Amino acid sequence: MFSWLGTDDRRKKEPEVFQTVSDGLKKLYKTKLLPLEESYKFHEFHSPALEDADFDNKPMVLLVGQYSTGKTSFIRYLLEQDFPGMRIGPEPTTDSFIAVMHGDTEGVIPGNALVVDPKKPFRKLNAFGNAFLNRFVCAQLPNPVLESISVIDTPGILSGEKQRISRGYDFAAVLEWFAERVDRIILLFDAHKLDISDEFSEVIKALKNHEDKIRVVLNKADQIETQQLMRVYGALMWSLGKIVNTPEVIRVYIGSFWSHPLLIPDNRKLFEAEEQDLFKDIQSLPRNAALRKLNDLIKRARLAKVHAYIISSLKKEMPSVFGKENKKKELIASLGDIYKRIEREHQISPGDFPNLKKMQDQLQAQDLTKFQPLKPKLLEAVDDMLANDIAGLMVLVRQEETQKPNAVVKGGAFDGTLDGPFGHGYGEGAGEGIDEAEWVVARDKPAYDEIFYTLSPVNGKVTGANAKKEMVKSKLPNTVLGKIWKLADIDKDGMLDDEEFALANHLIKVKLEGHELPSELPAHLVPPSKRKIAE
């Protein structure tokens, strides 16, 4: 009896099916999260409503730093071409936010026109007013790098109260808006001037809750000696530790990100390795973009839920007729206690609550009697989204990732070191001798042969047990030696002849010199007599 009720109830609980991650995020946001946000004035307190462009746009990289740390030069280095509106100099040159994006023709779109374009994810920036919009432009140009990512250049952060006041808009709030929507935040520091100004400190604190997106670049590191560089690196980590309150150490990349010759080339190899790591991090952004948007939506949903509990609690405590103003002051003063009560009642982590001081300041301008009481149906919809729909989208994210495994940033500086002799690590480690006609192991083979013949070879081969006695002298772990054995035993007979033994020793040397072992033996390392077997 009444079985149709159960069927309908089950239908409600089934997660929705979506064609793409982007479409799924848009629909979930509009149908399940947005009603909760609108009901409890979430957009007035935290972040404007999301639009379709926020879900469809390419990954964005935000560059932040004090003036003359090389932010604009960094973009120029990545793109390998100038972009419209670009100015570089030792004085504070970039006085605007410049969104560097892909376009069929070169040109600049001013801020006021930019915030009315529904295809760009900047419409909600109009809330910061003309003082900001007059300092916001979009530079468009045809560039292969920009086909995969967009880059946001920011004004150099200045020290001194006068400059901070004269901006005419809330600089930290604008950066916080961008931080919520970008995929990577790169903080640039100049190795010559590490002082973190008050405004920069304020900006870094505004990036709280986005620590997972932050990377730090210590730029212009080629201008100081190795000993000084170590001290500067230590000082930077100490300074960051005082501002960024996380137990983890922020990843710092050291280098010189412009196309000029290195002034002090002593640390060239370090700079190359660091640049390679940073490039890999940036190149992975298109592949992880859907996951990042999903993660940001979950973070937003958790905050919206907590916000709803706070607002409804305040509404519940407000009198209906007399003493409204006094009660409002009392509630704002005791907001910390309300946080703790909500935390206990709903088992919410303290880290999910908004900043107490900021929330108290915002509540001063609100009429608490106009707040909405708790609406369980709205919260249930968000809980259902987090428990069921998000799980379905996670499967779709993985499917999309496997369908486009080569979704990486290409072009510009990213292509400069991919192939040829200037690729990272080319001709080093296991790559040594790649261009030589002669087998590279042959250089040291006489020395290896002497050891080989002391191991009592039978029919020109030493057993695994005898070879092991010699190989363990390297003090490398068994897992590494096992990999070396698999690479060196080309004919897979469980023994090594003189060439295979020489190859094993060559690979041990490669590993001891700090290089990685290849997953498969490169063609140039195969012994001449075994090349037919390898084929």
Side-chain angles (χ1 to χ4, degrees):
M1 191 178 176
F2 299 114
S3 60
W4 56 274
L5 281 172
T7 308
D8 189 53
D9 191 49
R10 280 197 300 276
R11 195 179 296 123
K12 279 183 188 174
K13 294 293 178 188
E14 284 177 11
E16 297 202 41
V17 178
F18 304 109
Q19 296 303 311
T20 66
V21 176
S22 180
D23 288 343
L25 290 171
K26 278 187 261 189
K27 190 169 182 188
L28 286 178
Y29 177 70
K30 285 175 185 171
T31 58
K32 297 196 173 180
L33 184 53
L34 186 58
L36 182 76
E37 291 183 355
E38 288 175 337
S39 185
Y40 295 101
K41 299 188 175 186
F42 180 86
H43 308 135
E44 291 180 33
F45 285 85
H46 302 290
S47 174
L50 298 176
E51 299 198 332
D52 286 356
D54 290 308
F55 297 104
D56 294 332
N57 69 309
K58 294 170 189 167
M60 293 194 288
V61 178
L62 177 70
L63 298 181
V64 183
Q66 297 183 174
Y67 75 90
S68 192
T69 51
K71 296 185 296 297
T72 309
S73 298
F74 183 84
I75 300 173
R76 169 75 182 76
Y77 183 67
L78 291 185
L79 304 183
E80 291 188 342
Q81 74 177 92
D82 293 348
F83 57 88
M86 182 183 99
R87 284 173 64 215
I88 294 173
E91 76 283 6
T93 47
T94 304
D95 64 344
S96 304
F97 281 81
I98 304 176
V100 186
M101 306 181 86
H102 186 268
D104 294 331
T105 55
E106 279 196 26
V108 173
I109 304 171
N112 282 292
L114 199 56
V115 295
V116 294
D117 185 349
K119 291 182 181 176
K120 297 278 194 298
F122 306 122
R123 280 161 61 99
K124 297 296 180 181
L125 282 169
N126 61 4
F128 293 104
N130 273 333
F132 166 71
L133 295 178
N134 291 336
R135 290 272 176 269
F136 179 44
V137 295
C138 174
Q140 289 191 318
L141 66 156
N143 185 284
V145 173
L146 299 175
E147 288 176 11
S148 307
I149 59 170
S150 302
V151 188
I152 313 293
D153 193 10
T154 60
I157 294 168
L158 304 161
S159 52
E161 191 69 19
K162 179 178 175 291
Q163 292 94 331
R164 183 160 47 164
I165 292 167
S166 67
R167 285 196 194 276
Y169 59 91
D170 191 338
F171 183 70
V174 172
L175 281 178
E176 193 174 352
W177 186 94
F178 275 109
E180 285 179 9
R181 288 156 177 79
V182 300
D183 297 70
R184 189 66 75 238
I185 301 165
I186 296 179
L187 301 181
L188 280 105
F189 289 87
D190 184 335
H192 275 288
K193 45 177 191 285
L194 273 188
D195 61 307
I196 297 178
S197 68
D198 291 346
E199 190 179 26
F200 198 12
S201 177
E202 193 180 305
V203 162
I204 295 172
K205 285 173 183 170
L207 302 177
K208 192 176 184 286
N209 301 327
H210 304 289
E211 288 91 349
D212 56 319
K213 298 178 182 180
I214 296 176
R215 304 290 183 271
V216 175
V217 169
L218 182 58
N219 201 12
K220 306 184 182 180
D222 64 317
Q223 297 176 15
I224 53 177
E225 303 279 353
T226 306
Q227 188 179 12
Q228 287 176 300
L229 182 58
M230 287 173 64
R231 289 174 181 163
V232 166
Y233 179 80
L236 174 60
M237 297 305 287
W238 182 83
S239 300
L240 286 172
K242 290 180 75 82
I243 300 168
V244 183
N245 296 317
T246 56
E248 301 86 13
V249 176
I250 288 183
R251 178 67 165 97
V252 177
Y253 298 90
I254 303 169
S256 180
F257 295 92
W258 64 346
S259 51
H260 293 247
L262 299 176
L263 292 179
I264 300 172
D266 300 3
N267 297 308
R268 186 186 185 103
K269 281 199 171 184
L270 169 67
F271 298 159
E272 285 174 1
E274 292 283 283
E275 180 184 282
Q276 202 68 21
D277 285 352
L278 180 59
F279 280 8
K280 278 181 187 171
D281 186 65
I282 296 172
Q283 283 182 300
S284 71
L285 294 180
R287 195 167 56 244
N288 300 326
L291 196 57
R292 194 274 304 168
K293 286 169 187 167
L294 185 64
N295 184 51
D296 282 358
L297 188 71
I298 295 168
K299 272 201 280 191
R300 189 181 178 100
R302 289 166 72 97
L303 179 60
K305 271 182 65 181
V306 173
H307 180 75
Y309 285 129
I310 295 167
I311 296 299
S312 59
S313 292
L314 293 170
K315 167 69 177 175
K316 190 178 175 184
E317 298 287 336
M318 283 297 287
S320 53
V321 186
F322 301 113
K324 292 178 185 176
E325 271 307 308
N326 289 335
K327 188 63 177 175
K328 176 181 171 180
K329 287 176 186 173
E330 183 190 316
L331 287 171
I332 292 172
S334 62
L335 190 61
D337 295 330
I338 294 170
Y339 274 20
K340 285 175 185 169
R341 192 181 72 235
I342 293 168
E343 189 185 321
R344 281 195 311 273
E345 285 177 10
H346 302 284
Q347 288 82 48
I348 296 169
S349 165
D352 286 351
F353 284 83
N355 180 278
L356 180 62
K357 178 73 174 70
K358 187 179 173 186
M359 193 73 176
Q360 286 172 324
D361 291 343
Q362 289 171 318
L363 285 168
Q364 300 287 357
Q366 296 285 339
D367 183 352
L368 273 56
T369 57
K370 291 185 178 175
F371 285 173
Q372 294 289 327
L374 198 64
K375 297 179 179 175
K377 281 194 175 180
L378 291 178
L379 285 161
E380 280 170 19
V382 174
D383 284 334
D384 180 54
M385 178 187 88
L386 292 170
N388 301 309
D389 299 313
I390 293 293
L393 276 181
M394 279 297 295
V395 175
L396 204 53
V397 166
R398 297 299 173 212
Q399 286 175 0
E400 285 189 5
E401 282 178 358
T402 53
Q403 284 166 10
K404 44 182 182 182
N406 298 320
V408 294
V409 183
K410 293 177 182 173
F414 297 101
D415 285 355
T417 59
L418 276 183
D419 302 307
F422 295 99
H424 180 62
Y426 187 92
E428 298 172 7
E432 186 186 353
I434 192 168
D435 294 330
E436 296 175 21
E438 200 175 317
W439 188 41
V440 67
V441 183
R443 294 178 198 161
D444 300 317
K445 191 168 180 293
Y448 299 143
D449 283 348
E450 283 183 27
I451 301 167
F452 178 79
Y453 288 110
T454 64
L455 300 175
S456 312
V458 178
N459 297 326
K461 295 191 175 189
V462 295
T463 62
N466 285 344
K468 179 182 176 181
K469 288 175 190 172
E470 184 59 35
M471 290 171 72
V472 294
K473 290 178 183 176
S474 66
K475 299 179 183 175
L476 288 170
N478 283 348
T479 51
V480 175
L481 292 174
K483 185 174 183 180
I484 289 171
W485 175 272
K486 284 177 185 173
L487 291 169
D489 185 16
I490 292 161
D491 53 15
K492 309 297 178 199
D493 62 353
M495 295 189 285
L496 301 180
D497 62 20
D498 60 326
E499 287 183 330
E500 290 172 329
F501 182 77
L503 174 60
N505 278 281
H506 178 77
L507 292 171
I508 286 171
K509 187 180 89 168
V510 165
K511 188 63 184 173
L512 290 174
E513 287 174 353
H515 302 286
E516 289 302 312
L517 292 171
S519 52
E520 290 182 14
L521 193 67
H524 71 279
L525 286 183
V526 178
S529 65
K530 302 283 191 304
R531 284 180 185 172
K532 285 185 181 176
I533 298 172
E535 287 169 12

